Amino acid sequence: MDPAAAVAAIAANPAAFTELVAQLQDADNDRRKSAEAIFDALKEQSDLCMTCLARTLRTCPAVEARLFCSVMIRKVTIWTARAVASGGLARSTVYGI
């Protein structure tokens, strides 16, 4: 699936993010690489990405998924801060201003 289309699907149905998290943890390398491409595209929309991570952290019954989301929240926060600092991501994109 095209990463942009997958991000749009997650935006329309945030519950689909749980499936993405499962794919990111998949042992199948091809499936995981595809999921990583989608997640990288999702990071460009940091509000949506952080919302999905926090929602999954709070509501998912799978412990592994919650642990994964807690780690990814930290990584996405650092990635976003670095992207803003380097000028690679507009502050308005991140903070909605």
Side-chain angles (χ1 to χ4, degrees):
M1 177 182 266
D2 173 46
V7 169
I10 290 170
N13 179 17
F17 184 75
T18 305
E19 177 60 29
L20 178 64
V21 170
Q23 291 173 2
L24 286 165
Q25 299 173 350
D26 201 310
D28 179 14
N29 198 35
D30 292 333
R31 190 169 175 194
R32 191 175 59 250
K33 283 196 178 288
S34 175
E36 287 170 357
I38 295 168
F39 190 76
D40 286 343
L42 184 61
K43 285 191 310 188
E44 296 293 328
Q45 297 182 31
S46 60
D47 284 348
L48 175 61
C49 185
M50 292 298 282
T51 299
C52 289
L53 286 167
R55 181 181 295 122
T56 303
L57 178 64
R58 287 189 353 245
T59 62
C60 186
V63 174
E64 297 84 8
R66 292 195 316 264
L67 291 171
F68 178 83
C69 287
S70 66
V71 170
M72 294 312 293
I73 285 172
R74 181 180 57 82
K75 289 186 175 197
V76 170
T77 301
I78 291 169
W79 177 86
T80 302
R82 286 182 179 160
V84 169
S86 69
L89 190 63
R91 291 181 75 91
S92 60
T93 304
V94 177
Y95 302 111
I97 50 176

